[in-house]
């Protein structure tokens, strides 16, 4: 299957999953895993785990989350 066909099938699948009532994050992850199995076979979960680990080890993303947390704490303490 070509990648263009995957895109044309994935977009309506995500919209359908959202309209059924699944949360957005689970809809994106589920559709990605389903089409990942179709496109890549058995290596799709390993690729997902590797990508999650790469995102977790990114210090910039952790700094953004901590900066937002700091802002919320300062707002609630009325500083």
């Amino acid at each position: 299957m070509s990648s263009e066909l995957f895109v044309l099938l994935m977009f309506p699948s995500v919209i359908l999953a959202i309209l059924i009532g699944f949360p957005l994050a689970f809809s994106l992850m589920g559709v990605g895993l389903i089409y990942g199995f179709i496109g890549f076979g058995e290596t799709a979960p390993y690729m997902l785990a590797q990508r999650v680990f790469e995102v977790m080890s990114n210090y910039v993303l952790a700094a953004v989350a901590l900066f937002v947390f700091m802002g919320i704490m300062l707002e609630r303490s009325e500083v």
Side-chain angles (χ1 to χ4, degrees):
M1 243 189 233
S2 68
S3 61
E4 292 86 11
L5 184 60
F6 267 26
V7 171
L8 290 175
L9 292 175
M10 285 177 78
F11 184 69
S13 299
V14 169
I15 298 298
L16 179 69
I18 293 170
L19 289 176
I20 288 174
F22 287 115
L24 178 64
F26 295 132
S27 300
L28 290 172
M29 183 179 63
V31 169
L33 274 176
I34 290 169
Y35 283 95
F37 273 120
I38 294 170
F40 296 109
E42 295 293 323
T43 61
Y46 302 111
M47 293 169 66
L48 176 69
Q50 180 182 8
R51 184 67 185 148
V52 167
F53 181 73
E54 288 175 5
V55 169
M56 284 183 354
S57 64
N58 190 349
Y59 294 115
V60 174
L61 294 177
V64 169
L66 291 173
F67 185 78
V68 170
F69 177 70
M70 179 190 66
I72 291 170
M73 294 306 289
L74 288 173
E75 179 186 0
R76 290 196 180 171
S77 66
E78 296 179 359
V79 171

